[in-house]
Amino acid sequence: MSLVTLGPEGTFSHEVAECVTNGPVTLVPTIREVFREVAENGRRGLVPLENSEAGGVGPTLDGLMAYRVFITAEIFMPVHHFLVSPRDTGNIRTLFVHPQTHEQCSEVIEGLGAEVIHTSSNAASAHATLQCADSGAIVSRRAAELYGLVIRQPNVENNPDNVTRFVCIDAVPAEKKHPLKCSILVDPESDRAGLLHELLGVFSRRGINLTRIESRPSKRGMGRYVFFIDLTYSPACVDAIEELKALTTVKNLGCYGRKEVPGWTC
């Protein structure tokens, strides 16, 4: 099975993709491009969905809103970051870092006192520091090795239990007969007292456990939100989602299982 995911070579997405497929991996410059390849060209994709420290990944949430795709599997990756530079001595006056990595490593970054420049990926951070004197970057161990960078400080993430959840996406739903989880996108379109209580009551009455609720601006004006909801799968999920559709607009993002990677315990 081939996969398309965020590049360039050396991103965490690239590392995960190589762990979950024996087929070729195609790297594209943005997460939006991954969604476009899946929705318009029928390819299978892999994207980061959320991190235990920094929360939801905005471009992925926007892609799930904008494109007709389904989640077909999830993968949990323990994530460790490394402060690197082209040389092993000298002050780091400029630091290249991806915004998600910045949130995950904010404590160390604040202590450096360096100018911070955000990049499009961790691999892009590694490439940028090679081009800039007195600079450093925060990247994965693999990216450090790939770009020949010196590790100045290992494991600079705020939380040693830092984990990122990736999902596989496809233009068609998963065929797995025994899924573990389902994901939906709820767009209330209106605002009234008790609406959220009414929507969540659909699941409460059936004893369905909600494992994640995340709001995101609907992009239709201030104070208007959509909700990403993950629920533990049970046969009652089908009826619950149908009842919810009678109350509001629901986008079914699919029911799926978990892919395990040997050596990764999260």
Side-chain angles (χ1 to χ4, degrees), residues 188-209:
E189 296 184 346
S190 62
D191 186 20
R192 56 181 170 80
L195 175 62
L196 189 56
H197 175 78
E198 187 178 340
L199 299 179
L200 298 182
V202 169
F203 303 104
S204 176
R205 289 194 297 276
R206 292 174 171 84
I208 297 173
N209 182 40

Side-chain angles (χ1 to χ4, degrees), residues 15-129:
E15 190 171 344
V16 175
E18 290 194 328
C19 289
V20 299
T21 181
N22 293 322
V25 175
T26 301
L27 301 175
V28 295
T30 65
I31 288 175
R32 176 172 287 274
E33 186 66 22
V34 177
F35 277 91
R36 187 178 295 118
E37 286 290 330
V38 172
E40 298 178 4
N41 297 322
R43 304 183 70 177
R44 291 171 174 166
L46 175 87
V47 289
L49 178 58
E50 60 172 329
N51 174 265
S52 58
E53 183 83 9
V57 178
T60 295
L61 299 178
D62 289 342
L64 290 172
M65 290 171 59
Y67 290 93
R68 187 180 185 279
V69 299
F70 297 90
I71 297 173
T72 57
E74 62 179 357
I75 306 103
F76 290 83
M77 180 192 197
V79 171
H80 302 289
H81 295 285
F82 297 79
L83 174 63
V84 301
S85 67
R87 298 178 300 170
D88 60 358
T89 59
N91 292 330
I92 294 177
R93 303 186 188 282
T94 303
L95 184 71
F96 296 98
V97 61
H98 184 269
Q100 271 275 332
T101 302
H102 190 161
E103 290 191 58
Q104 296 168 37
C105 306
S106 58
E107 295 174 7
V108 166
I109 291 174
E110 288 177 12
L112 287 175
E115 177 191 14
V116 175
I117 297 178
H118 283 168
T119 64
S120 60
S121 71
N122 289 301
S125 299
H127 184 266
T129 191

